[in-house]
Amino acid sequence: MKKIVVIGAGESGFGAAVLAKAKGCDVLVSDNNEIDIKFKAKLKEQHIRYEENGHSEREILKADEIIKSPGVSPAVPIIKRAIDRDIPVISEIEFAGRYTNAKMICITGSNGKTTTTLWAYHILKHAGLNVGLAGNVGSSLAYEVATNQHDYYVIELSSFQLDNMYDFKADIAVLLNITPDHLDRYDFDFNKYINSKFRILQNQNENDVFIYSADDSVIKKELALRNINARKIPFSIRGKIEKPSVHLENKNIMFNIKTPFSMSVENVSLPGSHNTYNSMAAGAIAKVLNIKKENIRESLMGFKNVEHRLEPVIKVHGIEFINDSKATNVNSAWYALESMTKQTVWIVGGIDKGNDYKQMEELVKQKVKAIVCLGKDNRKIHDTFSNMVDKVVDANTMKDAVTAAYYLAKDGDAVLLSPACASFDLFDNYEDRGNQFKAAVRAL
């Protein structure tokens, strides 16, 4: 009986354990921290062995294979020791891919991947395809494979998930953009992060498809250096590009893939240039799969945005509050500010992942009247923006941040939570941060 050890007991780890057990493996789930009560109950229900608050090294190092959850750093001692002993360490996505023949539609990028993944899933579901949603959004792929039988999976992939994928192949790979993110995990070496993102193309051949932004300077540079086997479909908002492609022309999105069609960008349900890119990528996926243009149009017009991504909360005394807690890096926060049409009080801060705020400076000068710093260490934000806005204040809780922003704003202004940072200094995750923001706003 094959012995599988799963390191990390979150969504990904739990799904991997369920699939491994279903395939007749001897499974142990091991977490260095306390396991969330929800997953503990599920592991008990499935009769899967687990341990928490530490690793049983002797048993773990007898594993035939280790499945590492994406949140677990490759630098943790138990992973290093396993690698030293030539024990294969793989991702949950790699493991799940062995047990399904479904078509894999894989989406990555520094920003926009959740929106694009959900949008593509919405189009495919609306068109009547037997499609599952997995990866960094929805259930883990392993859990989906263990409990459902789908013909297609739309999968959001982070760089952490891509890092331990080896034989897995995307039938359709989508690369939205690459900007510096998670550099703390990549030895502050941007090239390592770039290489991680490009792993989405591994094992692709001429029958597969690669959809990418032709406007992203990093992707453009890398394409000139790499041999791409898949059929390439670029998208651009900067004008006409060679077919097959998607581009913007006179405020129309032109889908030049197979049978061409167009639709007005003004009919796309989500505003902002970043969402034009997301809609192009989602629509391109649908065109590759021969979904009817009527279905694509309807789905691009009817899709609702994801929670915590430029999510309007309520207006309080004429001040509009917007929850963009999902903006965990500088580029994502840039898109949020770029979309603002009112003078804005910006709530920013958290765990800095190697942020460079220089690209934000012009937007901050144009659109931001005051800044509320929400984090344990706000020095970099103060140093960068203090001379550009009237006020920069600090807050240690979400309630204090919302109250401070409310008093800095006036009727007709907006308050934007778009942190540009990870949330783990003060919150459980970005969802917790966004939910606390919404609760604090409603309590005003």
Side-chain angles (χ1 to χ4, degrees), residues 324-352:
D324 194 47
S325 181
K326 202 171 190 311
T328 58
N329 59 49
V330 169
N331 197 246
S332 198
W334 186 94
Y335 279 120
L337 275 182
E338 189 249 355
S339 71
M340 299 303 290
T341 56
K342 302 174 177 181
Q343 277 294 288
T344 300
V345 177
W346 180 27
I347 302 176
V348 58
I351 293 181
D352 188 313

Side-chain angles (χ1 to χ4, degrees), residues 70-325:
V72 176
S73 167
V76 302
I78 194 67
I79 298 297
K80 286 177 135 182
R81 287 188 193 110
I83 291 167
D84 287 344
R85 294 199 181 197
D86 293 324
I87 300 169
V89 177
I90 64 168
S91 74
E92 164 258 323
I93 302 283
E94 174 79 6
F95 184 66
R98 297 172 182 171
Y99 299 104
T100 176
N101 293 317
K103 293 285 183 191
M104 298 295 182
I105 301 151
C106 300
I107 297 163
T108 197
S110 301
N111 301 292
K113 54 187 178 292
T114 300
T115 300
T116 305
T117 301
L118 289 170
W119 216 336
Y121 173 72
H122 174 70
I123 299 171
L124 272 55
K125 191 89 174 161
H126 182 63
L129 273 59
N130 176 20
V131 58
L133 176 70
N136 227 24
V137 62
S139 301
S140 68
L141 180 62
Y143 188 77
E144 283 291 314
V145 169
T147 57
N148 292 296
Q149 286 189 321
H150 292 297
D151 299 327
Y152 300 87
Y153 284 106
V154 184
I155 309 167
E156 178 190 336
L157 291 176
S158 69
S159 58
F160 298 168
Q161 287 164 312
L162 288 161
D163 285 337
N164 290 99
M165 286 163 50
Y166 304 101
D167 296 323
F168 181 93
K169 178 173 79 73
D171 296 284
I172 300 174
V174 179
L175 183 52
L176 297 167
N177 44 59
I178 303 179
T179 58
D181 195 11
H182 302 297
L183 295 190
D184 50 338
R185 179 87 167 241
Y186 293 96
D187 305 321
F188 295 94
D189 183 341
F190 188 34
N191 282 320
K192 287 184 180 179
Y193 176 68
I194 292 168
N195 288 334
S196 176
K197 286 297 187 190
F198 267 89
R199 287 176 73 89
I200 200 165
L201 297 181
Q202 68 186 4
N203 306 316
Q204 281 200 309
N205 58 43
E206 63 279 359
N207 298 316
D208 302 313
V209 174
F210 174 39
I211 297 166
Y212 65 94
S213 171
D215 298 342
D216 186 278
S217 58
V218 176
I219 294 174
K220 216 174 189 174
K221 181 184 167 192
E222 290 296 316
L223 288 182
L225 303 173
R226 296 171 186 261
N227 182 28
I228 310 297
N229 296 319
R231 289 178 289 143
K232 292 188 281 190
I233 299 178
F235 57 88
S236 170
I237 66 170
R238 293 178 185 162
K240 204 166 183 178
I241 49 177
E242 197 176 318
K243 300 175 185 178
S245 62
V246 185
H247 73 271
L248 199 60
E249 191 177 321
N250 300 324
K251 294 194 174 178
N252 287 312
I253 301 176
M254 315 296 289
F255 290 93
N256 292 315
I257 303 165
K258 298 183 179 178
T259 313
F261 84 97
S262 66
M263 68 176 285
S264 169
V265 71
E266 290 168 0
N267 289 334
V268 172
S269 64
L270 303 182
S273 59
H274 58 299
N275 281 318
T276 303
Y277 282 123
N278 296 339
S279 68
M280 286 176 162
I285 291 166
K287 282 294 290 174
V288 168
L289 295 174
N290 295 313
I291 289 172
K292 291 178 181 175
K293 63 185 179 183
E294 293 80 10
N295 278 326
I296 299 173
R297 272 204 197 100
E298 285 169 13
S299 298
L300 292 178
M301 290 166 68
F303 178 71
K304 301 281 191 292
N305 206 355
V306 299
E307 192 179 12
H308 308 298
R309 189 73 187 100
L310 287 172
E311 176 192 8
V313 185
I314 53 171
K315 278 189 179 180
V316 181
H317 296 133
I319 301 164
E320 186 177 6
F321 286 82
I322 298 165
N323 168 29
D324 194 47
S325 181

Side-chain angles (χ1 to χ4, degrees), residues 29 32 51 53 243 272 317 339 364:
V29 176
N32 205 35
E51 61 179 5
N53 298 315
K243 300 175 185 178
H317 296 133
S339 71
V364 167

